[in-house]
Amino acid sequence: GQQLNQSPQSMFIQEGEDVSMNCTSSSIFNTWLWYKQDPGEGPVLLIALYKAGELTSNGRLTAQFGITRKDSFLNISASIPSDVGIYFCAGQLGNNNDMRFGAGTRLTVKP
Amino acid sequence: DSGVTQTPKHLITATGQRVTLRCSPRSGDLSVYWYQQSLDQGLQFLIQYYNGEERAKGNILERFSAQQFPDLHSELNLSSLELGDSALYFCASSKRVTGELFFGEGSRLTVL
């Protein structure tokens, strides 16, 4: 199936550092979304990408839709303790309607 | 608050039992998705409905079923429950068939 490979699986960084995570697939996606999940809560949408090559920012977050439409990355600049959580990428194919999720990147920020 | 409401928030039941999880989508959203998240795992897509009709199916077990009603709320029925069915079950909604999903807070099911 259209599996999403998200990396890294986990990250331990110092407050103030920049973070980068990515998702790749063997399939072509029409939509890439990035979510953050805090413990015991539902995922919250961070950034949505709809066009190949699109680069979108949301505060300290920046995400890009890969030119090949098979990958996307998320960068977080100047991390702060509240950035702690699990970050998920999600992709939606054109010929299917379901939204598939990566396995998540667990981010820990040390003050 | 995403605007997606899920009930119950917590549910404890025994193996072999049947439960129903309920989801009310955001106002105006026609599409409802169901996901299963086991402990420290990712989100496994179960099923999607759009305006009352099933649109996509993931790895949903035959013991599980779902439907979306005319008022657009959705229910996920889990039967003959097993220990491994213990998980967080999330509902998400979106305006269209494709696009941004907004998640509820989840229903935590514990099967003993």
Side-chain angles (χ1 to χ4, degrees), chain B:
Chain B
D1 182 6
S2 67
V4 178
T5 303
Q6 287 188 248
T7 57
K9 287 193 173 5
H10 301 275
L11 190 54
I12 301 174
T13 188
T15 55
Q17 295 298 304
R18 171 190 170 95
V19 298
T20 297
L21 309 180
R22 182 187 167 102
C23 170
S24 294
R26 294 188 318 159
S27 177
D29 284 2
L30 299 179
S31 196
V32 168
Y33 297 71
W34 285 98
Y35 289 86
Q36 180 192 56
Q37 186 177 39
S38 301
L39 189 63
D40 289 337
Q41 298 294 311
L43 293 153
Q44 299 299 315
F45 170 68
L46 296 178
I47 199 164
Q48 180 207 3
Y49 285 85
Y50 178 77
N51 205 19
E53 293 189 4
E54 182 184 305
R55 290 303 297 260
K57 215 169 193 177
N59 298 323
I60 187 168
L61 299 172
E62 285 192 11
R63 300 183 287 108
F64 296 180
S65 65
Q67 57 182 322
Q68 186 179 27
F69 294 87
D71 67 352
L72 301 177
H73 91 271
S74 178
E75 292 181 356
L76 178 66
N77 301 299
L78 314 175
S79 61
S80 302
L81 285 168
E82 302 175 359
L83 296 177
D85 296 329
S86 296
L88 264 171
Y89 290 84
F90 285 105
C91 167
S93 73
S94 66
K95 281 197 183 310
R96 302 167 287 130
V97 171
T98 60
E100 301 160 19
L101 270 59
F102 294 88
F103 282 81
E105 294 188 352
S107 292
R108 182 176 293 280
L109 173 65
T110 302
V111 182
L112 300 176

